Amino acid sequence: MINQETIRYLINFVANATTSAGTILSADRWIGYTDDPEQMKRYLLVILPSGFFDINKYGTEEYFPTFPLKKWHEIPILYGQGDEKAEYADTFPSDGKSGPIIIHADLIASAYFLISRYEEIFKRKVRDEFGRFPGKESVPFKGNFIHRPIIDEYGRELRHLLRKAGLALRKEDELSHAFNRIYLAHNIISPFCMTPWAERTMHWKLRAVWLLRRFAFKLKIRFNTSEINQTKFLDWDKSVERSYPEGIVRSLFFMLTPGHRNDGKRVYHLTSFTIHLLRRAMSRYGVMPALSCNRECNREPEESILKARRMLHQQFGHWVSAAGFANLCAREPEDFIATFNAGIRHDFSMGYFDVPGFRLGTARPVQFINPSFGKLTELVMHPLTIVDTSLSDKEGMRMTYEEALGYAQGLVKKTAEVHGELTLMWNSDLLNKENHEYHSKLYRDLLRLIIDLEHKKNDTYQVTHQP
């Protein structure tokens, strides 16, 4: 059912190994995925297949994970044999004999299940009114590991076993930064961090000044441009960027293009005066524009995504390569084929609308695997660590500020533990304290935590690596 290219990619992705010299290790040379005794001799580690990928078993109810889930090295697994009491599900070579370490937990099938969204093609009828798969119906939520990047935890244990087998790999504490990359993403539902009435007033004030610009001097009209600099959350983002080396922190603006099905949203026009000023702010702060796919894109992805991308090209002068579905309406896994065909190469939709956490089981970007065919693509999926509305909305977790802060801080720290990619997705209008009771404060508190984690990591690194 699955080709060898995909298997090799999964082995390398799960292992995520780097040599002590700092070069990326081709883990598929040392880790095998086979039950053939002759092939096993070629590897240091062997992961035994559970039969999940067999043509007559793939997609059947018999091979869907069952609860309670088994564990390998205290980490939940979906397939294969788990640990027995205090004994790990690993077989080591007998004393004096050569041979691989055999892992009886099927880590490859478990990773594939999560990364490919296999569960969602198995449960086609489990959707909400917008066609979204609810996180509360997912295996990660029901298995109580939605808050853990378990694929990255598999990799940590695999690297430990590879070191035991004699490979010189970089140690986990030799990384000098808390995160591999940080994306501070904002859905620009409202062009500025304003109330709807203040934004509307600003628009008409700008329009009046533009119409009277020829007579502005004679009429002694003065307009303080500082009034329009209401993207104050970009100053918060910039404080994080200053605490990290160049290139690690990026701010993204997801622009929702006009459409006939954007009911329930205040959609701006891309040619409005406030958008012109927003573009200036984006240029000043180095913000990267991205496409927020509207409801037309959700329902008719083959035709509408490219159309929306062209509209952004007309406005910003270059083709955006990053996109995300508005309201996290990533309906079917196969819809990402249309996303890729429209020229998008980076997707930021992989978070549940009702539960924050690690939807793909990882805190690292991963290439999209089409679960219908088991085929690897070049579209990169960026996990959304925290989405604001999933914490507070009635269809989400309905958390208080204290509950949301504690849970969100736990996700940020888990991402730092595995040196993953942290992505925070916040709607621009919710960053105004007049629009929501706690999201502005919560966002700033999380940014402070991100800065503190980097400072602590730097201090630890300098102490342990003193000459």
Side-chain angles (χ1 to χ4, degrees), residues 141-154:
F141 182 79
K142 292 181 176 180
N144 195 30
F145 63 87
I146 186 72
H147 60 290
R148 295 174 61 182
I150 64 170
I151 294 176
D152 303 323
E153 294 179 21
Y154 295 160

Side-chain angles (χ1 to χ4, degrees), residues 192 194 202 205 222-231:
F192 297 102
M194 297 180 178
M202 178 65 67
K205 188 174 182 180
R222 294 290 183 268
F223 184 75
N224 184 2
T225 56
S226 64
E227 294 181 42
I228 64 173
N229 295 332
Q230 296 294 328
T231 50

